Amino acid sequence: MTLIEITLPKTIAKALHLPASSPRRQQLKVLKKLLKKAKLTEFGQHYRFDEILMSKHIGKRFQQLVPTHDYNAIYKQWWNKTLEGKRDVCWPGKIKYYALSSGTSESASKYIPVTEDLLSGNRMVMIKQLFSLRHYDDIPFANLRKGWLMLGGSTELQQGKGYYAGDLSGITAKKVPFWFTPFYKPGKKIAKMSDWNDKIEEIVEQAPNWDISFVVGVPAWIQMCMEKIVERYKLATIHDIWPNLSFFVHGGVSFEPYKKGFEKLLAKPLTYIETYLASEGFIAYQERQNAKGMKLSINDHIFFEFVPFDDKNFDSDGNLVENPTTYMIHEVEEGRDYAILLSTSAGAWRYLIGDTVRFVDVERCEIVITGRTKHFLSLVGEHLSVDNMSKALQLATEELNVSIPEFTVAGVPHGSFFAHHWYVASDDHVDAALLRNKIDQHLKELNDDYAVERASALKEVYLDVLPEQTFMDFLESKGKIGGQHKFPRVLKGNMLQDWKAFLSKTTIS
C-alpha cells in the first residue's frame, strides 16, 4: 500500500529498501563516510583523519586521536572561525546556517552549525519514520495525505555576516522539500512570523480553512494552540474543527505530564509518535507502535558514542572529565544511563550534546531520554534524575487525578543540611501537602540513594502549586516562548535566582 501519493527522489526510495547490517557495521560505515568527507578540513588535517581511515580498527583509532568536546571547547577552538566566514573548518564548505540553542538553563545562545548534508540526513530520517507507520495497526492511511501543522520557530532568520541563524525548526521549515509543500501548514507566510503570539493568533484565525491530520511540536505549545482554537470557535473538542486529526508527533520532553490535559481537547484517541530531533541532528524516532523507546538513526548521518553517566566520567556539576570511558553502539548495556557524544555531517566531532539516555532494547537500538547531564540533583548523593522526577510525578498525579503539565525542582539549603523545592503547574484543585508526600514516597521507591539520603542529609521537601500561565510567562520573560523552548526540569545558578525573583515580582503585583 502506498502511504503517500508522491514520488520520492530515487536515492531516498532506494535507501528505504536496503537490507540492514549489524548496528556496529552500520555505524562504522557512517563514521567512514563522515571522515572521508571531512579529511581535508582544518579539523580533519589536525586530527589525522587520513590515518584513522587507514586503521584496521577505525572506531578505536578515532577515539584515540580525536578528543571529546563540549560546546565551549569546540566553539572556542573551531566553530568560532566559521562564524567569521572561514571555509572548511570542521566540515567542507562555508556554514550558511546556525541553529540557535541555549538548552534550557543557559542564557547565552549557542551557535550550532547546520549544513545541507545535515538537513538532508534529517529529511531521510523523517521519511523513514513516516514509512514506519505502515507497520502500525489501525492507521487511517488516507489521513497521511492531509495537512501537517508544524508548530516551530520563525523562518525569518537572523542575518549575520554571511550566515543566517534561528531555531532549527525555523531553518527546517524554510528548507521544506518541494514534495512536502502541499501538506505543510501553517504555510510560508505564517511560518515567517517572528512574534510567537501573533503567529498563534494567525493559526487560530486560519484553523477552519485547514484539514489537519498531523500536529508536530513541543507538547506545551501544541496544547496551548489547540486550547485557543477550541475557545475561539466555542468547540467541544479540537476534532469538531479538524475531524481527521489522527497523529501527534512530539519530542524534547516527556509527554506523560501533558497527556491528561491534552486529551481533554480530543474527541477520539490520537496515535502518538515520539521523536528525538536536536539542533545537532535527527537522533532517534519511534519506529514501532507502542514501543517503549525510540530507534537511534544509526545508518544515516550521525556516529554515536556513549559515556556512562556516573561519578567516574562526570564531576558534581555534570561536566565531562578528560578522557572519559566511551562505548560504541555494540558495547552498550540495557538499563544503564549514558551521555551521548555525536559526530555529524555538520562538523560536530565527539560532541557532548548534554542529554542522557537509557537503552531499553539493545538489539533494536531503542532508547529513552532520561534527562540532562546538568539537570539532575545530587546535593548529598541522592543522584536524582529527571526520569525519576517525571515518573514520581506521573504516579502521584494518576493517584490524585490531577493534571500537572509543567514542573521544576531546585536544591536549596535547609539549616546545615539540604532540601528539594518543587514548583508544579496546575489549574486543577491540588492538595499541595498530599501531592508533596506522594512524590516523596514514590521517589524513595524509585531511587535507593534518594531513600537513604532522605533519612540523613536531605531533610525536607517543599512543594508550591502555581498556575500554568506562570511557567509560560517566565519563559516569555527569558525570550524563550514558542518553538523548541522547554521549561527546565531542574533549576540551578542564575536561572534559579531569576525564577525566584520572577515569582517574588509576580506575587507582589
Side-chain angles (χ1 to χ4, degrees):
M1 177 181 290
T2 302
L3 294 184
I4 301 180
E5 293 175 358
I6 54 175
T7 301
L8 295 174
K10 289 182 179 179
T11 54
I12 294 177
K14 182 180 178 181
L16 289 170
H17 295 94
L18 288 175
S21 56
S22 72
R24 176 179 177 273
R25 288 191 176 189
Q26 291 180 65
Q27 276 285 271
L28 288 176
K29 184 177 179 180
V30 170
L31 178 59
K32 287 179 183 178
K33 181 173 67 175
L34 295 174
L35 293 172
K36 285 179 181 178
K37 188 78 179 274
K39 67 181 181 180
L40 297 180
T41 63
E42 189 177 340
F43 191 97
Q45 294 285 297
H46 184 83
Y47 289 112
R48 296 147 51 191
F49 280 10
D50 273 334
E51 179 180 330
I52 297 171
L53 285 164
M54 293 174 63
S55 173
K56 291 183 179 179
H57 305 287
I58 184 172
K60 294 300 181 186
R61 194 59 177 150
F62 175 67
Q63 293 173 333
Q64 290 169 357
L65 290 183
V66 180
T68 59
H69 299 90
D70 62 11
Y71 175 80
N72 291 333
I74 200 168
Y75 178 83
K76 183 177 180 180
Q77 190 172 0
W78 302 102
W79 286 354
N80 73 90
K81 301 175 188 178
T82 68
L83 281 165
E84 297 167 3
K86 190 170 184 180
R87 302 174 61 90
D88 305 326
V89 178
C90 290
W91 195 253
K94 188 176 185 297
I95 305 298
K96 297 180 181 179
Y97 294 96
Y98 292 87
L100 292 180
S101 171
S102 58
T104 48
S105 61
E106 297 165 54
S107 56
S109 290
K110 299 176 182 177
Y111 285 76
I112 311 296
V114 176
T115 64
E116 291 295 338
D117 289 321
L118 184 78
L119 292 172
S120 177
N122 287 352
R123 285 194 290 270
M124 175 68 79
V125 179
M126 183 193 76
I127 292 166
K128 287 181 178 180
Q129 180 176 31
L130 176 60
F131 272 75
S132 73
L133 295 179
R134 68 186 185 274
H135 301 305
Y136 282 42
D137 296 327
D138 303 320
I139 288 291
F141 289 109
N143 288 359
L144 294 171
R145 300 192 299 271
K146 300 185 185 298
W148 292 51
L149 176 61
M150 304 178 73
L151 200 55
S154 173
T155 59
E156 182 71 11
L157 306 176
Q158 301 176 21
Q159 187 168 1
K161 193 185 300 183
Y163 66 84
Y164 295 92
D167 279 356
L168 178 65
S169 57
I171 296 172
T172 301
K174 189 178 182 70
K175 307 283 285 185
V176 165
F178 72 92
W179 50 265
F180 188 64
T181 303
F183 313 104
Y184 170 64
K185 304 298 179 192
K188 292 184 177 181
K189 183 178 179 181
I190 298 176
K192 193 174 182 179
M193 299 173 70
S194 56
D195 186 286
W196 181 256
N197 292 317
D198 289 346
K199 177 183 287 188
I200 293 295
E201 284 303 311
E202 191 61 29
I203 290 172
V204 172
E205 187 69 27
Q206 295 298 322
N209 302 322
W210 299 333
D211 184 4
I212 299 297
S213 175
F214 273 78
V215 287
V216 183
V218 173
W221 306 121
I222 291 290
Q223 181 176 335
M224 181 186 71
C225 180
M226 294 200 307
E227 286 173 345
K228 287 182 176 292
I229 293 170
V230 168
E231 181 182 3
R232 168 75 66 86
Y233 299 104
K234 296 179 171 51
L235 310 173
T237 72
I238 194 68
H239 280 110
D240 291 341
I241 199 168
W242 293 335
N244 292 309
L245 180 61
S246 307
F247 307 91
F248 177 34
V249 182
H250 63 89
V253 294
S254 170
F255 181 55
E256 288 303 323
Y258 302 92
K259 196 169 185 178
K260 192 175 185 65
F262 193 89
E263 292 186 341
K264 291 179 181 178
L265 299 167
L266 309 176
K268 55 188 176 183
L270 301 185
T271 296
Y272 298 110
I273 307 171
E274 188 173 8
T275 63
Y276 187 2
L277 176 58
S279 298
E280 294 82 4
F282 204 147
I283 294 172
Y285 62 93
Q286 185 178 331
E287 185 186 42
R288 299 179 297 127
Q289 192 171 18
N290 303 318
K292 292 181 179 179
M294 296 174 285
K295 179 181 174 62
L296 287 169
S297 306
I298 61 172
N299 194 29
D300 296 284
H301 58 324
I302 301 174
F303 177 70
F304 295 95
E305 295 173 78
F306 304 91
V307 182
F309 187 52
D310 55 30
D311 295 340
K312 294 180 181 178
N313 294 300
F314 290 85
D315 65 21
S316 58
D317 292 322
N319 298 306
L320 190 64
V321 302
E322 287 189 31
N323 302 315
T325 301
T326 57
Y327 297 116
M328 287 175 55
I329 189 70
H330 62 287
E331 300 171 314
V332 297
E333 303 172 6
E334 287 182 13
R336 188 176 187 182
D337 283 8
Y338 297 95
I340 303 181
L341 298 177
L342 301 182
S343 297
T344 76
S345 55
W349 297 104
R350 306 198 75 202
Y351 177 77
L352 181 75
I353 63 170
D355 291 333
T356 60
V357 301
R358 183 181 305 138
F359 280 82
V360 293
D361 191 324
V362 167
E363 187 176 342
R364 294 178 181 272
C365 301
E366 290 181 345
I367 53 107
V368 293
I369 302 171
T370 56
R372 301 273 296 170
T373 56
K374 296 193 176 184
H375 285 195
F376 69 100
L377 282 176
S378 194
L379 302 175
V380 291
E382 66 271 36
H383 300 114
L384 199 62
S385 69
V386 172
D387 186 53
N388 292 154
M389 300 173 199
S390 297
K391 185 62 176 177
L393 184 63
Q394 178 191 342
L395 292 170
T397 54
E398 287 175 353
E399 291 169 359
L400 298 177
N401 193 31
V402 294
S403 172
I404 297 179
E406 296 288 357
F407 75 91
T408 191
V409 189
V412 295
H414 183 76
S416 301
F417 298 97
F418 296 93
H420 288 173
H421 196 148
W422 286 69
Y423 301 89
V424 302
S426 184
D427 295 330
D428 295 339
H429 176 71
V430 178
D431 184 326
L434 182 57
L435 177 62
R436 173 257 183 217
N437 291 337
K438 285 188 174 293
I439 290 173
D440 188 35
Q441 185 58 42
H442 285 306
L443 286 175
K444 291 175 184 176
E445 296 166 358
L446 291 166
N447 186 315
D448 292 340
D449 292 331
Y450 179 86
V452 170
E453 296 306 331
R454 280 293 284 122
S456 56
L458 190 61
K459 292 297 185 184
E460 188 56 87
V461 175
Y462 303 105
L463 186 142
D464 290 337
V465 180
L466 304 169
E468 185 178 350
Q469 191 60 44
T470 301
F471 284 71
M472 300 298 102
D473 289 345
F474 178 71
L475 284 178
E476 185 169 12
S477 75
K478 303 295 290 183
K480 292 177 180 251
I481 187 170
Q484 294 171 287
H485 297 301
K486 305 169 287 287
F487 206 96
R489 293 308 186 213
V490 175
L491 290 177
K492 299 178 181 179
N494 291 336
M495 187 66 84
L496 175 57
Q497 298 308 313
D498 291 348
W499 171 246
K500 288 181 176 179
F502 177 83
L503 292 183
S504 176
K505 190 183 302 182
T506 303
T507 302
I508 293 172
S509 60

